[in-house]
Amino acid sequence: MTDTVRLALDAMGGDHGPSVVVPGAALALARKPDMTFLFVGDEAKIRPLVDAEPRLAGRCEILHTDVAVRMDDKPSVALRKGRWKSSMWLALDAVKTHRSDAVVSAGNTGALMAMSRFCLRMMADVERPAIAAIWPTLRGESIVLDVGATIGADARQLVDFAVMGSAMARILFDLDRPTVALLNVGVEEIKGVEQVKEAARILREEDFPALDFRGFVEGDDLGKGTVDVVVTEGFSGNIALKTAEGTARQIAEYLRSAMGRTWLSKLGYLLARGAFDTLKEKMDPRKVNGGVFLGLDGVVIKSHGGTDAEGFASAVEVGYEMVRYDLMTKIRQGLLHDQGADAPPPSPASLAGAES
Amino acid sequence: MTDTVRLALDAMGGDHGPSVVVPGAALALARKPDMTFLFVGDEAKIRPLVDAEPRLAGRCEILHTDVAVRMDDKPSVALRKGRWKSSMWLALDAVKTHRSDAVVSAGNTGALMAMSRFCLRMMADVERPAIAAIWPTLRGESIVLDVGATIGADARQLVDFAVMGSAMARILFDLDRPTVALLNVGVEEIKGVEQVKEAARILREEDFPALDFRGFVEGDDLGKGTVDVVVTEGFSGNIALKTAEGTARQIAEYLRSAMGRTWLSKLGYLLARGAFDTLKEKMDPRKVNGGVFLGLDGVVIKSHGGTDAEGFASAVEVGYEMVRYDLMTKIRQGLLHDQGADAPPPSPASLAGAES
């Protein structure tokens, strides 16, 4: 890393491409001036947008390509059509070749993860990647991972997730020792979550200096913000994330319909408008935009595909923070400690599996 | 079943015991008069409450026992201390011996499931029980199962859940062919949910006349009410349920705090009170109280432990409906069809496993 944080931006990613990515980058730059950007994509579309943002002058380059991964491309199709040449790939490649410090893309999650694994490869000693989401809670924010990179995880992989999520929490929340818990279900004698129990044993017994392990939490602890980092495998994590998003939309819909029903409730709504705006802001998905791909040999930030410039700016700022406060080193330190304890080294078979 | 629906009520279950169970039963009886009750528990506590409800006169009996399962007893402890003699066990036993048609208990879920399996045993041809929750949605209500009876499920067990959940939906929502989907995560090429994919194949290829299979849904479809029945294994189902509950509480908390912040928003709240009451009612957990244990050789309804009389009455009415419209027969018909197709018979090993 140089003194300036250099971000490669997949300008063609997301539902709106450069028309969101370029203004979003400019917004982020207003708040974090020590950044430069590499916009990757169709120069004819990017150039006029860059010229329209005086703030970007001298702070960015454009790397042209005609090829873009589509939002509905399956990962295998994206890899076949987009490897070596798409805006997504070339942005990742800029990180791989150390021309950039991190990638931000609003492109499709499956394709971005597949290309990231293929281009950047896994970090040494990590078997599986995870997608870490920033989750709004009653206490502020928590980090929840994995919300859908892979399905299932054994105990050691869950421990890796705990270490990686803590490194991210240390940076984002400016904490020395974030609290960490494993997502579980209530009944204590229930069978079958052996890997979750075993991960708890490892986290309790091995001494991880950079995290404060608190045992198990349940689904309703996510919204409470009981701990800073909640660890689970990708299937249940994705279901939790989508269920929370769906429930929030459901309640917003109930509220809208209830408020519009009578003239008295409409008047009440007008008077309490400030309160509703506060609520809206609390629940604004743009404020917490930016999932982080963890476990790869490079920093990759996933922005929501449908976000606007403000939301993309949030994702850019997450990328900035991860580079500025050195996510990769913090993860490696955590994992090194983990290796130093009585953990078995990862088997060649499982490493090969992670690349397949 | 006789012409009257006979319900065995675990009068000592839940946080409030008979003081909620007895008035709850009386409330339900006002709406469904063709019911009788067997209150099981401490007669000295139950009798005065029964005498205070004129509606119950001649419609109930009391079966005395001193022993009650505690809300925090682990399943193994509950079985050791409560088998043969607790109010929970004796209520189940009344169903086993055909003195009652169904059990309703607000006792602890793990203990109730363990005792139900032990006392009632599994239904023939069903390997695993499931807890089915009634989920409020933008369309009305859906059924989601399993929300935490067991962890993990193979393809055939997921298909059984689909059949059992559909039988319940046919009764509760008065439908001929409820729509059914499997809960899954978005990325299509993701690995590891082989059992979910295989269950989808079975549901698509075998012709189930009592359900309309619609493929996969994701977590955000739960609140939308995309289908009538959503099927998943107990770990992810429990996490989805708890996450939705937690998110609803989180938003209610945001709203409360936003509305109390200024005098203008307080005034607005007062004017829009009717709308807030509508919202509250929509989100009232008492209205949809009553998880159904499926796959057992008998009908068992689980009420929320902390509910009040109104909520317990809802659970009693769910029990009434399941008996009146013959849940057990509808499930057996669904499973018989299933057996008639090219499904392999369940192996002795897996049946033994279900009982362990």
Side-chain angles (χ1 to χ4, degrees), chain A residues 74 151 189 218 242 250, chain B residues 74 136 189 191 218 242:
Chain A
K74 290 186 181 183
I151 301 292
E189 291 169 62
E218 297 189 46
K242 293 278 179 70
Q250 179 185 2
Chain B
K74 290 187 181 182
E189 291 170 62
K191 292 176 194 170
E218 296 189 46
K242 293 279 179 68

Side-chain angles (χ1 to χ4, degrees), chain B residues 226-242:
Chain B
T226 307
V227 290
D228 300 311
V229 182
V230 177
V231 175
T232 188
E233 57 77 43
F235 189 80
S236 48
N238 186 272
I239 283 169
L241 179 72
K242 293 279 179 68

Side-chain angles (χ1 to χ4, degrees), chain B residues 210-262:
Chain B
L211 66 85
D212 176 8
F213 180 61
R214 298 286 180 93
F216 301 123
V217 292
E218 296 189 46
D220 52 346
D221 289 296
L222 291 166
K224 285 184 202 158
T226 307
V227 290
D228 300 311
V229 182
V230 177
V231 175
T232 188
E233 57 77 43
F235 189 80
S236 48
N238 186 272
I239 283 169
L241 179 72
K242 293 279 179 68
T243 301
E245 288 173 353
T247 304
R249 269 200 297 273
Q250 180 184 1
I251 295 171
E253 187 54 48
Y254 285 158
L255 196 60
R256 205 175 354 259
S257 118
M259 284 294 155
R261 200 160 291 159
T262 68

Side-chain angles (χ1 to χ4, degrees), chain B residues 183-198:
Chain B
L183 192 59
N184 202 347
V185 297
V187 182
E188 286 180 54
E189 291 170 62
I190 217 160
K191 292 176 194 170
V193 273
E194 292 315 315
Q195 61 277 36
V196 178
K197 286 185 200 162
E198 173 64 9

Side-chain angles (χ1 to χ4, degrees), chain A residues 74-77 109-110 135-138 140 148-151 183-193 196 218-224 232-236 238-251 253-255 258-259 261 264-269 271-272 275-276 278-279 282-283 353 356, chain B residues 74-77 109-110 135-138 140 148-151 183-193 196 218-224 232-236 238-251 253-255 258-259 261 264-269 271-272 275-276 278-279 282-283 353 356:
Chain A
K74 290 186 181 183
S76 56
V77 173
T109 310
W135 195 289
T137 74
L138 286 173
T150 53
I151 301 292
L183 192 58
N184 203 347
V185 296
V187 181
E188 284 181 56
E189 291 169 62
I190 217 160
K191 292 175 192 171
V193 274
V196 177
E218 297 189 46
D220 53 344
D221 289 296
L222 291 165
K224 286 184 203 158
T232 188
E233 57 76 43
F235 189 81
S236 48
N238 186 272
I239 283 169
L241 180 70
K242 293 278 179 70
T243 302
E245 287 174 353
T247 305
R249 269 200 298 272
Q250 179 185 2
I251 295 172
E253 188 53 49
Y254 285 159
L255 197 59
M259 284 295 155
R261 200 160 292 160
L264 212 60
S265 63
K266 281 181 194 161
L267 180 61
Y269 172 78
L271 292 178
F276 282 105
T278 308
L279 179 68
K282 276 267 186 204
M283 294 176 58
S356 69
Chain B
K74 290 187 181 182
S76 57
V77 173
T109 309
W135 195 290
T137 75
L138 286 174
T150 53
I151 301 294
L183 192 59
N184 202 347
V185 297
V187 182
E188 286 180 54
E189 291 170 62
I190 217 160
K191 292 176 194 170
V193 273
V196 178
E218 296 189 46
D220 52 346
D221 289 296
L222 291 166
K224 285 184 202 158
T232 188
E233 57 77 43
F235 189 80
S236 48
N238 186 272
I239 283 169
L241 179 72
K242 293 279 179 68
T243 301
E245 288 173 353
T247 304
R249 269 200 297 273
Q250 180 184 1
I251 295 171
E253 187 54 48
Y254 285 158
L255 196 60
M259 284 294 155
R261 200 160 291 159
L264 212 58
S265 63
K266 280 181 195 161
L267 180 61
Y269 172 78
L271 292 179
F276 282 106
T278 308
L279 179 69
K282 276 267 187 206
M283 295 176 58
S356 68

Side-chain angles (χ1 to χ4, degrees), chain B residues 96-249:
Chain B
K96 188 187 178 67
T97 54
H98 305 291
R99 287 168 293 150
S100 295
D101 301 309
V103 180
V104 184
S105 173
N108 99 55
T109 309
L112 183 61
M113 181 51 85
M115 286 213 184
S116 298
R117 290 178 76 157
F118 211 93
C119 180
L120 298 175
R121 302 276 155 172
M122 297 300 293
M123 189 179 240
D125 303 323
V126 178
E127 291 176 38
R128 285 192 179 212
I131 302 175
I134 303 168
W135 195 290
T137 75
L138 286 174
R139 278 201 322 144
E141 286 167 1
S142 299
I143 288 165
V144 180
L145 74 165
D146 172 25
V147 296
T150 53
I151 301 294
D154 65 23
R156 186 51 67 176
Q157 288 158 353
L158 289 171
V159 172
D160 287 350
F161 291 177
V163 168
M164 298 193 294
S166 308
M168 183 175 155
R170 286 171 67 193
I171 295 172
L172 271 191
F173 309 146
D174 196 17
L175 296 167
D176 282 341
R177 252 187 129 211
T179 54
V180 178
L182 291 158
L183 192 59
N184 202 347
V185 297
V187 182
E188 286 180 54
E189 291 170 62
I190 217 160
K191 292 176 194 170
V193 273
E194 292 315 315
Q195 61 277 36
V196 178
K197 286 185 200 162
E198 173 64 9
R201 191 195 59 73
I202 298 172
L203 285 164
R204 227 181 319 257
E205 290 180 8
E206 295 181 18
D207 185 30
F208 290 89
L211 66 85
D212 176 8
F213 180 61
R214 298 286 180 93
F216 301 123
V217 292
E218 296 189 46
D220 52 346
D221 289 296
L222 291 166
K224 285 184 202 158
T226 307
V227 290
D228 300 311
V229 182
V230 177
V231 175
T232 188
E233 57 77 43
F235 189 80
S236 48
N238 186 272
I239 283 169
L241 179 72
K242 293 279 179 68
T243 301
E245 288 173 353
T247 304
R249 269 200 297 273

Side-chain angles (χ1 to χ4, degrees), chain A:
Chain A
M1 199 189 92
T2 58
D3 286 343
T4 300
V5 172
R6 304 163 308 166
L7 297 181
L9 308 184
D10 169 12
M12 311 314 282
D15 299 340
H16 312 293
S19 68
V20 154
V21 170
V22 176
L27 274 173
L29 192 64
R31 295 189 287 248
K32 315 275 183 195
D34 51 336
M35 270 193 288
T36 59
F37 301 116
L38 178 67
F39 292 107
V40 189
D42 184 344
E43 181 158 14
K45 290 188 179 142
I46 298 168
R47 179 68 65 196
L49 290 160
V50 166
D51 290 344
E53 299 281 353
R55 223 182 266 129
L56 291 172
R59 310 295 301 175
C60 67
E61 286 174 73
I62 300 173
L63 175 59
H64 175 77
T65 175
D66 287 330
V67 183
V69 169
R70 294 156 50 112
M71 291 307 278
D72 56 356
D73 277 344
K74 290 186 181 183
S76 56
V77 173
L79 268 176
R80 199 164 59 237
K81 296 195 313 194
R83 202 190 306 171
W84 320 125
K85 53 192 178 204
S86 64
S87 61
M88 191 183 271
W89 179 276
L90 293 171
L92 289 161
D93 191 61
V95 171
K96 187 186 177 69
T97 55
H98 305 290
R99 288 168 293 150
S100 295
D101 302 309
V103 180
V104 184
S105 174
N108 98 56
T109 310
L112 184 60
M113 180 52 85
M115 287 213 185
S116 298
R117 290 178 77 158
F118 210 93
C119 179
L120 298 174
R121 303 275 154 172
M122 298 299 295
M123 188 178 241
D125 303 324
V126 178
E127 291 176 36
R128 286 194 178 210
I131 302 175
I134 304 168
W135 195 289
T137 74
L138 286 173
R139 278 201 323 142
E141 286 167 3
S142 297
I143 288 165
V144 180
L145 74 165
D146 171 25
V147 296
T150 53
I151 301 292
D154 66 22
R156 185 52 66 177
Q157 289 159 352
L158 288 171
V159 171
D160 286 351
F161 291 177
V163 168
M164 297 193 295
S166 308
M168 183 175 155
R170 287 171 66 193
I171 294 172
L172 272 192
F173 310 144
D174 195 18
L175 296 168
D176 281 341
R177 253 188 129 209
T179 53
V180 178
L182 292 158
L183 192 58
N184 203 347
V185 296
V187 181
E188 284 181 56
E189 291 169 62
I190 217 160
K191 292 175 192 171
V193 274
E194 292 314 316
Q195 62 276 36
V196 177
K197 288 186 198 162
E198 173 64 10
R201 190 195 59 75
I202 297 172
L203 285 164
R204 228 182 320 258
E205 290 181 8
E206 294 181 18
D207 185 31
F208 290 90
L211 66 87
D212 176 6
F213 181 60
R214 298 288 178 93
F216 301 122
V217 291
E218 297 189 46
D220 53 344
D221 289 296
L222 291 165
K224 286 184 203 158
T226 307
V227 291
D228 300 312
V229 181
V230 177
V231 174
T232 188
E233 57 76 43
F235 189 81
S236 48
N238 186 272
I239 283 169
L241 180 70
K242 293 278 179 70
T243 302
E245 287 174 353
T247 305
R249 269 200 298 272
Q250 179 185 2
I251 295 172
E253 188 53 49
Y254 285 159
L255 197 59
R256 203 175 355 259
S257 120
M259 284 295 155
R261 200 160 292 160
T262 66
W263 66 265
L264 212 60
S265 63
K266 281 181 194 161
L267 180 61
Y269 172 78
L270 285 176
L271 292 178
R273 192 134 189 196
F276 282 105
D277 289 346
T278 308
L279 179 68
K280 227 183 213 163
E281 184 151 336
K282 276 267 186 204
M283 294 176 58
D284 187 349
R286 300 177 309 170
K287 298 277 165 182
V288 288
N289 187 26
V292 178
F293 287 5
L294 297 171
L296 299 160
D297 200 8
V299 177
V300 181
I301 312 297
K302 165 71 176 93
S303 162
H304 273 297
T307 198
D308 60 9
E310 188 56 60
F312 193 79
S314 299
V316 168
E317 286 172 78
V318 170
Y320 170 90
E321 301 267 328
M322 292 301 130
V323 175
R324 174 56 70 222
Y325 302 102
D326 217 351
L327 177 69
M328 299 302 286
T329 304
K330 285 192 167 66
I331 292 178
R332 276 191 200 100
Q333 285 167 347
L335 294 169
L336 274 175
H337 173 85
D338 174 10
Q339 291 295 309
D342 58 357
S347 69
S350 62
L351 283 173
E355 296 292 346
S356 69

